[in-house]
Amino acid sequence: TGPLGALYQNTIDYGYRAPLADGPGLTRPQPVEPHNYRYDTTTVFWSVVALRPPAGADYDLRLYDDPALSQLLTSSLQLGDTVDFVAVDSNHRPLGDYYPQVRVVTGTGPYQIDLSAQARQLIAGTPAAEQMAATDVVAAWDVCTSGTEQVTVTVAPSDPRQDAELFLMASDPND
């Protein structure tokens, strides 16, 4: 939006970082130059950015800690048209701003990017559910256990065309 957005769309990088908000995924055109984004963590839970490349293409996702994109935190470099994602554990990282970047490796076409930054809390012993829209790529949940509790987490696709996956990530105060 505005003059910086227009310059960004014309591949001149004047520091504009397209804002990502928690909510439905966004469909964006093929990034001829890398697409740069920004989001803020506001809760002491997990946040996840996910990228669904077009069929037959390979796009990668990088996460930076600064708007100049000089402090790389991590990358998701999955091969082919596999969903790439990066997760931030704000249980141990300070709340603040993060800068995802989408890059083309091979192929062409529009992609979807999605942010889940307001992690839903899963309380052991309490059933919880979430139905994802077709534009959603990711949903983050945060569960705190005593370490001896058993928690069962399942994914049930609501459409036979969905290829749902579940990733369990552990909080590590040293990383």
Side-chain angles (χ1 to χ4, degrees):
T1 59
L4 286 179
L7 290 172
Y8 173 77
Q9 289 175 331
N10 289 300
T11 69
I12 300 171
D13 185 0
Y14 284 99
Y16 177 74
R17 306 296 178 243
L20 282 178
D22 190 25
L26 304 172
T27 300
R28 294 293 181 245
Q30 173 186 335
V32 177
E33 293 292 321
H35 284 181
N36 301 317
Y37 296 92
R38 174 203 167 104
Y39 78 93
D40 295 299
T41 55
T42 58
T43 60
V44 188
F45 297 112
W46 288 84
S47 61
V48 180
V49 177
L51 158 71
R52 180 184 295 137
D58 183 10
Y59 291 10
D60 287 339
L61 181 62
R62 297 168 188 237
L63 186 67
Y64 294 88
D65 197 26
D66 65 317
L69 308 177
S70 61
Q71 299 172 12
L72 180 67
L73 293 174
T74 191
S75 299
S76 179
L77 309 174
Q78 295 296 317
L79 297 176
D81 53 8
T82 303
V83 170
D84 285 91
F85 73 93
V86 292
V88 173
D89 180 6
S90 292
N91 293 288
H92 299 291
R93 282 193 61 85
L95 298 177
D97 50 345
Y98 291 94
Y99 301 88
Q101 183 185 68
V102 176
R103 293 178 176 217
V104 173
V105 177
T106 61
T108 61
Y111 65 95
Q112 288 181 300
I113 188 164
D114 192 10
L115 169 66
S116 182
Q118 303 293 327
R120 295 91 181 135
Q121 289 182 292
L122 182 61
I123 300 169
T126 305
E130 177 175 355
Q131 186 161 351
M132 294 175 66
T135 57
D136 290 329
V137 183
V138 65
W141 288 74
D142 201 284
V143 60
C144 297
T145 66
S146 65
T148 60
E149 295 174 89
Q150 287 189 351
V151 176
T152 302
V153 180
T154 59
V155 174
S158 59
D159 184 309
R161 294 172 292 173
Q162 288 178 319
D163 183 16
E165 295 186 71
L166 179 68
F167 292 88
L168 181 64
M169 306 191 61
S171 189
D172 181 355
N174 297 316
D175 185 12

